[in-house]
């Protein structure tokens, strides 16, 4: 049985250019989905799956992310004096979610480079990777997105990546995985080739790599050896293709809904879905959506 997965890396050092000007001084991972930063949903997903230590790969806005997950003495003191008990408890809970270490990626040289920055902390252990702008909504009684990949890793001993089927015309925006579906479990996929953003006209698969990974420590050496690839960045996909050739790699179609909150429409969708899932906001949101649709007619 492979060792259990206790570490998670969450890279949040990208430039977030798709969200300028909002991301000029605020990381896109701190933009709120209703009233909670995107990153907090992801940190909660990791800890709820049994992760014991999160390594955040930070860029130029280190301060506000660290502050968010830290104790906030002044705020707590004020809420206490004003008897705002529920708010106080909610704020305190964030600082108690679990241990989070942050490392600085000194330049945004790509996702592969960002993940490699966590090596000195994680060392010779398997680890999860959760992209800081990809959200997974799973049913309350079900295992979280990354939890499903951890289970597949612990059952097979092989590296796991989350996959999603997209229209073939869209695959050029993603890492693309070729291979075949497992005979016994249609959610599992045996990968035979991985390509980062295949150019239009060369598409061979509709399975896109989306935001969650569980990887063995062998990937560190492969990342060290990975040369600059697509977009002038060190691509995680290239190291994972090498891993696949050496020791196999599997894909998991997560049972849940994935939303790319790093994309403008995805961000709006994530906000609407979250609002519709809250008892205090659902009917107001439905009314608002109906009014807006009627205005369009
Ligand atoms: P993205 O490609 O979605 O992020 O990377 P980006 O580069 O910030 O986005 P745009 O395209 O300019 O809008 C996926 C994740 O990897 C992180 C990002 O912060 C994001 O959470 N990342 C990316 C890093 O930490 N370092 C990098 O060098 C690149």
């Amino acid at each position: 049985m492979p060792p259990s997965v206790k570490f998670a890396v969450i890279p949040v050092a990208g430039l977030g250019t798709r969200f300028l000007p909002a991301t000029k001084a605020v990381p896109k991972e701190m933009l709120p989905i209703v009233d909670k930063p995107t990153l907090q949903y992801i940190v909660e997903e990791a800890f709820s799956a049994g992760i014991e230590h999160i390594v955040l790969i930070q860029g130029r806005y280190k301060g506000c992310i660290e502050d968010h997950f830290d104790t906030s003495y002044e705020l707590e003191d004020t809420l206490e004096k004003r008897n705002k008990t529920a708010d106080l408890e909610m704020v305190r809970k964030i600082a108690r979610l679990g241990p989070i270490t942050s490392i600085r990626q000194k330049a945004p040289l790509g996702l592969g480079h960002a993940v490699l920055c966590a090596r000195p902390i994680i060392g010779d252990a398997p680890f999860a990777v959760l992209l800081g702008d990809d959200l997974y909504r799973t049913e309350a009684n079900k295992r979280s997105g990354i939890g499903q990949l951890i289970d597949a890793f612990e059952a097979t001993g092989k590296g796991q990546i989350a996959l999603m089927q997209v229209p073939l015309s869209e695959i050029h925006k993603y890492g693309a995985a070729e291979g075949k579906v497992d005979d016994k479990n249609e959610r599992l996929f045996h990968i035979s080739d991985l390509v980062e953003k295949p150019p239009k006209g060369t598409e061979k698969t509709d399975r896109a790599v989306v935001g969650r990974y569980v990887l063995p420590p062998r990937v560190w050496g492969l990342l060290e050896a990975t040369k600059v690839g697509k977009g002038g960045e060190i691509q995680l996909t290239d190291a994972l293709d090498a891993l696949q050739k050496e020791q196999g790699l599997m894909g998991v179609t997560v049972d849940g809904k994935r939303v790319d909150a790093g994309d403008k429409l995805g961000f709006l969708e994530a906000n609407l879905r979250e609002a519709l899932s809250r008892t205090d906001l659902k009917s107001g949101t439905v009314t608002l959506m109906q009014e807006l649709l009627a205005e369009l007619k």
Side-chain angles (χ1 to χ4, degrees):
M1 193 154 146
S4 53
V5 183
K6 301 292 177 207
F7 286 97
V9 181
I10 308 184
V12 292
L15 294 177
T17 53
R18 282 171 292 167
F19 260 100
L20 282 168
T23 47
K24 189 163 174 259
V26 176
K28 69 175 166 185
E29 294 81 2
M30 289 302 285
L31 299 179
I33 305 300
V34 180
D35 52 8
K36 202 197 274 192
T38 308
L39 181 58
Q40 190 182 328
Y41 290 93
I42 295 168
V43 165
E44 289 172 351
E45 176 187 336
F47 283 129
S48 78
I51 292 296
E52 292 177 2
H53 190 149
I54 287 178
V55 185
L56 281 181
I57 312 299
Q58 306 240 23
R60 49 202 176 112
Y61 332 89
K62 207 166 181 270
C64 70
I65 295 184
E66 286 191 353
D67 289 349
H68 184 77
F69 292 100
D70 200 356
T71 307
S72 178
Y73 293 105
E74 279 180 16
L75 177 63
E76 289 178 25
D77 188 50
T78 310
L79 292 173
E80 198 159 21
K81 284 185 182 135
R82 292 184 185 171
N83 284 323
K84 298 242 178 196
T85 323
D87 287 340
L88 178 64
E89 193 39 41
M90 182 236 293
V91 164
R92 282 189 172 149
K93 256 190 183 161
I94 301 171
R96 293 193 209 118
L97 283 169
I100 300 178
T101 302
S102 58
I103 300 192
R104 193 116 180 191
Q105 184 191 19
K106 293 194 177 136
L109 301 179
L111 181 57
H113 178 262
V115 170
L116 187 56
C117 293
R119 184 178 193 173
I121 296 184
I122 298 178
D124 193 24
F127 59 97
V129 178
L130 296 89
L131 296 196
D133 54 359
D134 246 331
L135 286 169
Y136 272 96
R137 301 183 66 86
T138 44
E139 282 173 39
N141 58 346
K142 291 231 168 93
R143 200 78 166 112
S144 69
I146 197 65
Q148 295 177 36
L149 270 72
I150 291 174
D151 293 347
F153 174 80
E154 292 181 352
T156 63
K158 285 194 181 153
Q160 306 288 330
I161 62 183
L163 294 179
M164 181 178 87
Q165 282 177 282
V166 300
L168 210 54
S169 58
E170 296 288 298
I171 195 82
H172 67 277
K173 298 180 186 163
Y174 298 85
E178 282 178 56
K180 71 174 189 58
V181 178
D182 186 73
D183 296 336
K184 298 196 186 88
N185 183 344
E186 61 175 19
R187 291 198 172 275
L188 297 183
F189 193 75
H190 299 269
I191 296 172
S192 59
D193 204 23
L194 263 189
V195 180
E196 181 63 22
K197 300 193 172 81
K200 280 184 179 175
T202 67
E203 305 89 346
K204 291 190 187 141
T205 171
D206 63 355
R207 307 239 170 200
V209 179
V210 276
R212 297 289 183 273
Y213 311 74
V214 173
L215 303 172
R218 171 65 187 126
V219 95
W220 299 131
L222 297 169
L223 275 170
E224 294 268 14
T226 300
K227 302 215 164 58
V228 171
K230 282 264 157 64
E233 297 190 336
I234 296 175
Q235 297 289 352
L236 180 60
T237 310
D238 293 343
L240 296 186
D241 191 46
L243 179 72
Q244 175 275 122
K245 292 191 166 77
E246 225 183 79
Q247 44 180 255
L249 182 68
M250 295 179 73
V252 177
T253 304
V254 170
D255 186 4
K257 176 75 193 160
R258 176 255 182 191
V259 182
D260 178 5
D263 168 80
K264 289 185 187 91
L265 269 183
F267 180 75
L268 292 174
E269 180 184 347
N271 272 282
L272 286 174
R273 283 185 184 276
E274 181 61 25
L276 291 170
S277 76
R278 304 236 187 139
T279 41
D280 59 334
L281 285 176
K282 186 173 175 178
S283 80
T285 309
V286 170
T287 308
L288 178 64
M289 287 164 70
Q290 284 166 338
E291 282 171 9
L292 292 177
L293 284 173
E295 275 177 30
L296 288 177
K297 280 181 192 151

